[in-house]
Amino acid sequence: MRLVSFLQVLFLLGLLAYLALVTLENPGLVRLPLPLGSGEFTLSVGAGVTVFLLLGAAFMGLLLLPGLWSERRRRGHEARLRREAEARLTATLQARLGAAALSEAPREGGA
């Protein structure tokens, strides 16, 4: 898990460094290089910042996802254990009530 967190932090730092570099080099228009050096995509600084904010929000969602997933699994496991315990208690109570009813039945018949 530490390796995943380390890689996530490196990815975030890379995004921040790229945003700072693009902002410093392009005050008016943003030129985003396309993958594999096949060209570039030009847009305004505001749109560029919006793109990076959306990437940051997606990254934050990915950071939160493992914790939410494990919490959901934990709650499901606890709910299953609770249902099993309630079923055992119900069965035990029914067995004791049945045994009590059987032990009471001969006394009522003989009186």
Side-chain angles (χ1 to χ4, degrees):
M1 191 59 151
R2 290 182 181 177
L3 178 64
V4 173
S5 297
F6 178 72
L7 292 176
Q8 289 170 338
V9 168
L10 284 180
F11 180 72
L12 182 60
L13 289 174
L15 281 176
L16 290 174
Y18 188 71
L19 179 61
L21 180 67
V22 167
T23 303
L24 290 173
E25 288 187 359
N26 305 297
L29 289 176
V30 177
R31 293 186 320 266
L32 299 173
L34 295 175
L36 304 175
S38 61
E40 60 185 28
F41 186 69
T42 305
L43 63 149
S44 69
V45 173
V49 169
T50 302
V51 166
F52 280 102
L53 285 176
L54 291 175
L55 283 174
F59 181 74
M60 185 186 67
L62 289 175
L63 284 175
L64 293 175
L65 191 61
L68 294 174
W69 184 265
S70 64
E71 181 66 21
R72 181 177 176 193
R73 285 183 43 207
R74 185 185 64 80
R75 285 187 182 187
H77 180 69
E78 288 177 356
R80 184 171 34 85
L81 289 177
R82 187 172 40 254
R83 282 192 306 270
E84 290 172 357
E86 288 174 357
R88 285 193 308 267
L89 288 172
T90 301
T92 303
L93 181 60
Q94 287 175 349
R96 288 194 181 193
L97 288 175
L102 288 177
S103 66
E104 293 286 326
R107 286 188 210 162
E108 291 176 7

